[in-house]
Amino acid sequence: MGSVVLSLDAELAWGFHDHETMPEDRVGAARESWLRLLDMFDDHDVPATWAVVGHLMLDSCDGDHDSHPTPDGWFDRDPGTWEGRDEQWYGQKLVDAIEDADADHEVGSHTYSHVEMGHTSREIASAEMRECVEVAEERGLSVDSVVFPRNYVGHRDVLAAYGVKCYRGTQPRRWYDRGPLGSMAKLFGWPTGTVSSTLVTPEEDEYGLVNVPASLYLFCFEGRGRSAVERVTDDPIVSMAKRGIDRASAENGVFHMWLHPNNLTEERDFERMESILSYLAQVRDTTPLRVETMGSIAADIKDDEPLPREPIGPR
């Protein structure tokens, strides 16, 4: 018997604050999409790991981040206001909604301010985790699972020092990621490297963290390519997701799907998620299939003893 995991990069505007311009459709839709997704998960009793940018756990901020070692300008877009005024930068009520949901979700971390952990210094990585842990502890939460911004894995030793149990790793490369066949697939718009019904095997790494690799990004095939395919056949991502769910119900391994709430900007995006979640619930209710969070996967692999927290830098 296998397992299915869903993880979400919950970031609102923080996912784009280092871009020259931010996608207005995705930023503008993110809050409503977050809440609609929670309703959909409740409808099908599907738990997920919500990896939340730490700053979103605040309901207000004065905009002063001088103590954070990020370069000058990193926090320039933080308006220094409150959730009721600038709701794309603060998300305390959204985190409340995760905790109040009927489905047994996990609140994880997406760093404090969406720093790419694979492209930063240890000092900054430490500050990002320190801030996350502190704001989570103020809510009575423990940071057990981490999703790296833009999937750039880095500074895993820092995660271990703060007692993190697991992270979402990148999926293995396959034949269609490289070579002439891969190049041809890319020419025709197929999103190589992000589409697969592959089952993954979570493993403990050298730092004592459990790597729960990704299997399928649910919004990797978009735009004109998606529209063209949907005119003649079913949504290919739904088909791939169903195949992965079927494999997880019949084999050992984990099928790990992921997305951002801000991916859902059109009604067809919600239809995609409804198709996947309803199928997942149907298979779970009729076959020996588990639907788990990243944290519960890690708990299956490691013992229940909490990891020691050895903070790096000032508390």
Side-chain angles (χ1 to χ4, degrees):
M1 176 173 63
S3 300
V4 170
V5 172
L6 273 154
S7 59
L8 297 95
D9 301 23
E11 55 194 37
L12 300 187
W14 287 97
F16 309 100
H17 78 106
D18 56 335
H19 290 188
E20 184 175 349
T21 59
M22 297 196 293
E24 293 184 7
D25 58 339
R26 291 182 64 179
V27 173
R31 200 172 179 95
E32 178 186 356
S33 297
W34 183 313
L35 294 172
R36 284 187 66 178
L37 279 168
L38 281 173
D39 286 341
M40 295 173 75
F41 286 130
D42 275 354
D43 289 344
H44 300 289
D45 192 23
V46 170
T49 295
W50 291 74
V52 179
V53 167
H55 198 284
L56 290 179
M57 293 192 183
L58 305 175
D59 66 351
S60 63
C61 175
D62 62 9
D64 181 6
H65 298 282
D66 289 344
S67 63
H68 199 293
T70 44
D72 289 344
W74 179 254
F75 286 97
D76 279 358
R77 278 185 161 142
D78 179 2
T81 55
W82 60 91
E83 189 168 4
R85 175 171 173 175
D86 291 297
E87 61 181 12
Q88 303 308 326
W89 297 97
Y90 311 98
Q92 189 176 84
K93 292 179 181 178
L94 294 177
V95 180
D96 289 342
I98 297 173
E99 294 190 83
D100 292 342
D102 293 333
D104 190 15
H105 297 299
E106 174 189 20
V107 179
S109 172
H110 200 34
T111 75
Y112 182 72
S113 63
H114 207 263
V115 167
E116 293 180 1
M117 296 285 271
H119 298 145
T120 194
S121 69
R122 194 167 190 269
E123 180 188 18
I124 292 174
S126 300
E128 285 285 289
M129 288 312 304
R130 182 169 62 250
E131 298 274 6
C132 281
V133 166
E134 289 178 355
V135 72
E137 287 180 344
E138 288 176 5
R139 294 185 61 98
L141 297 172
S142 175
V143 177
D144 294 330
S145 301
V146 166
V147 167
F148 291 99
R150 298 178 187 138
N151 294 309
Y152 289 119
V153 176
H155 299 288
R156 289 172 293 136
D157 60 323
V158 172
L159 271 61
Y162 278 93
V164 172
K165 296 178 181 176
C166 63
Y167 62 92
R168 189 180 73 205
T170 56
Q171 61 196 66
R173 289 169 63 85
R174 288 164 291 276
W175 62 267
Y176 47 73
D177 296 333
R178 58 179 78 88
L181 289 175
S183 298
M184 184 176 296
K186 291 174 184 177
L187 178 65
F188 285 99
W190 188 258
T192 65
T194 50
V195 175
S196 173
S197 57
T198 299
L199 300 189
V200 298
T201 303
E203 294 180 336
E204 189 173 349
D205 69 12
E206 66 269 33
Y207 299 105
L209 303 173
V210 176
N211 177 8
V212 188
S215 298
L216 174 64
Y217 177 31
L218 293 178
F219 286 86
C220 58
F221 189 42
E222 305 307 306
R224 288 180 293 179
R226 174 183 175 181
S227 297
V229 170
E230 287 179 341
R231 281 197 288 269
V232 296
T233 188
D234 294 333
D235 183 338
I237 300 301
V238 173
S239 299
M240 192 69 71
K242 289 181 176 180
R243 241 183 320 242
I245 292 166
D246 288 340
R247 288 196 61 192
S249 71
E251 306 173 33
N252 291 323
V254 174
F255 184 56
H256 186 175
M257 300 177 281
W258 67 281
L259 69 152
H260 310 80
N262 62 40
N263 286 133
L264 289 83
T265 61
E266 304 176 50
E267 200 56 36
R268 66 175 182 171
D269 301 327
F270 292 96
E271 292 169 0
R272 170 182 286 177
M273 291 304 302
E274 175 61 28
S275 296
I276 292 170
L277 293 175
S278 61
Y279 188 77
L280 174 58
Q282 173 190 337
V283 175
R284 175 203 58 203
D285 293 343
T286 56
T287 69
L289 175 70
R290 294 186 297 260
V291 180
E292 301 192 70
T293 63
M294 290 174 56
S296 64
I297 290 286
D300 291 340
I301 293 174
K302 296 178 64 67
D303 57 46
D304 292 333
E305 291 187 19
L307 291 174
R309 295 193 188 276
E310 302 173 357
I312 300 170
R315 288 298 301 263

